[in-house]
Amino acid sequence: MPAQNRASLPVIKRLPKYYRYLVNLSAEGREKVSSSELAHMMGTTASQVRQDFNCFGGFGQQGIGYKVDVLLDEIGHLLFGNGERLPTILIGAGRLGRAVSSFIARDTNGYRLIAAFDVDPDLVGKEMSGVTIRPLTELESFCQQNKPVVAVLCVPRQSAVEVSSELVRLGIKGFWNFSHYDLSVEHPEVTVENVHLGDSLMSLGYRLRNGDV
């Protein structure tokens, strides 16, 4: 369904959570769900749920409950498009890179890992999550031939600084960035999802120490 208004980033970030809950409801055999029920699951209000859905046309079920299969299909289309998985490369095949590559390879999240790269000669040539780890020197030729769209950065900050401009030049449109380097400042023309595991842990610590639930 075409969007009626441009969705804000907070709304977009809630879509995967809606999707997860709808998958669970569908597995339970539920046919309908109300905005109040969804709000309770999401930890928000029924009004917020309706406002979120109105960004994408409302899905046509207000007042009588939403059909779970319709919502699941519509939100799935927003998240995954026509089902074609985005060709993805991963930079940094260390412990974090292996964990992230395993997640990409096993989860139906709309991405297709096609190669991994590293500077460590002890890793080059080995297999990781179904792809071969290649030397970083092959990055340009591989990208020119295979046209990846997404790059996952599992490298230290300085390495990300050094490789990100090259990746943008080679046609990368989106980054899943674990490097603690804010790519969106340096490269505003690409889409960046920054992942700061330390920030999440610090937020948890704050909530525990300050009685925030």
Side-chain angles (χ1 to χ4, degrees), residues 56-75:
F56 308 102
F59 305 123
Q61 298 294 319
Q62 295 185 42
I64 60 173
Y66 298 96
K67 290 183 178 179
V68 170
D69 61 342
V70 171
L71 274 184
L72 196 56
D73 183 67
E74 295 285 2
I75 294 177

Side-chain angles (χ1 to χ4, degrees), residues 2-179:
Q4 300 301 303
N5 306 293
R6 185 174 177 84
S8 67
L9 187 57
V11 174
I12 294 169
K13 285 183 173 291
R14 283 193 288 271
L15 287 178
K17 194 172 181 181
Y18 283 120
Y19 188 80
R20 282 192 287 110
Y21 286 130
L22 288 164
V23 167
N24 291 337
L25 289 172
S26 179
E28 295 169 2
R30 288 285 303 276
E31 295 184 358
K32 286 188 177 182
V33 63
S34 68
S35 56
S36 296
E37 288 177 288
L38 281 174
H40 180 73
M41 297 174 189
M42 297 282 293
T44 184
T45 65
S47 176
Q48 182 66 71
V49 170
R50 291 191 294 270
Q51 288 178 40
D52 287 353
F53 291 171
N54 281 339
C55 291
F56 308 102
F59 305 123
Q61 298 294 319
Q62 295 185 42
I64 60 173
Y66 298 96
K67 290 183 178 179
V68 170
D69 61 342
V70 171
L71 274 184
L72 196 56
D73 183 67
E74 295 285 2
I75 294 177
H77 183 73
L78 291 170
L79 292 171
F80 307 121
N82 62 5
E84 182 179 357
R85 294 186 297 164
L86 299 172
T88 301
I89 59 174
L90 184 142
I91 313 296
R95 285 178 294 180
L96 176 60
R98 287 187 175 276
V100 172
S101 70
S102 177
F103 175 79
I104 295 172
R106 72 172 184 268
D107 197 73
T108 53
N109 47 39
Y111 298 84
R112 176 170 55 90
L113 187 64
I114 59 175
F117 295 85
D118 205 285
V119 296
D120 187 345
D122 291 335
L123 295 177
V124 169
K126 294 182 178 179
E127 185 176 296
M128 183 177 76
S129 299
V131 300
T132 300
I133 301 172
R134 300 169 179 267
L136 200 59
T137 53
E138 294 183 5
L139 181 63
E140 181 170 4
S141 60
F142 182 90
C143 288
Q144 289 175 344
Q145 182 175 354
N146 296 279
K147 303 294 189 293
V149 174
V150 177
V152 182
L153 298 185
C154 296
V155 293
R157 185 183 190 280
Q158 187 56 42
S159 298
V161 172
E162 294 168 357
V163 77
S164 58
S165 294
E166 178 72 357
L167 288 165
V168 172
R169 183 183 71 81
L170 292 171
I172 293 296
K173 304 299 183 185
F175 288 88
W176 198 21
N177 176 32
F178 291 82
S179 72

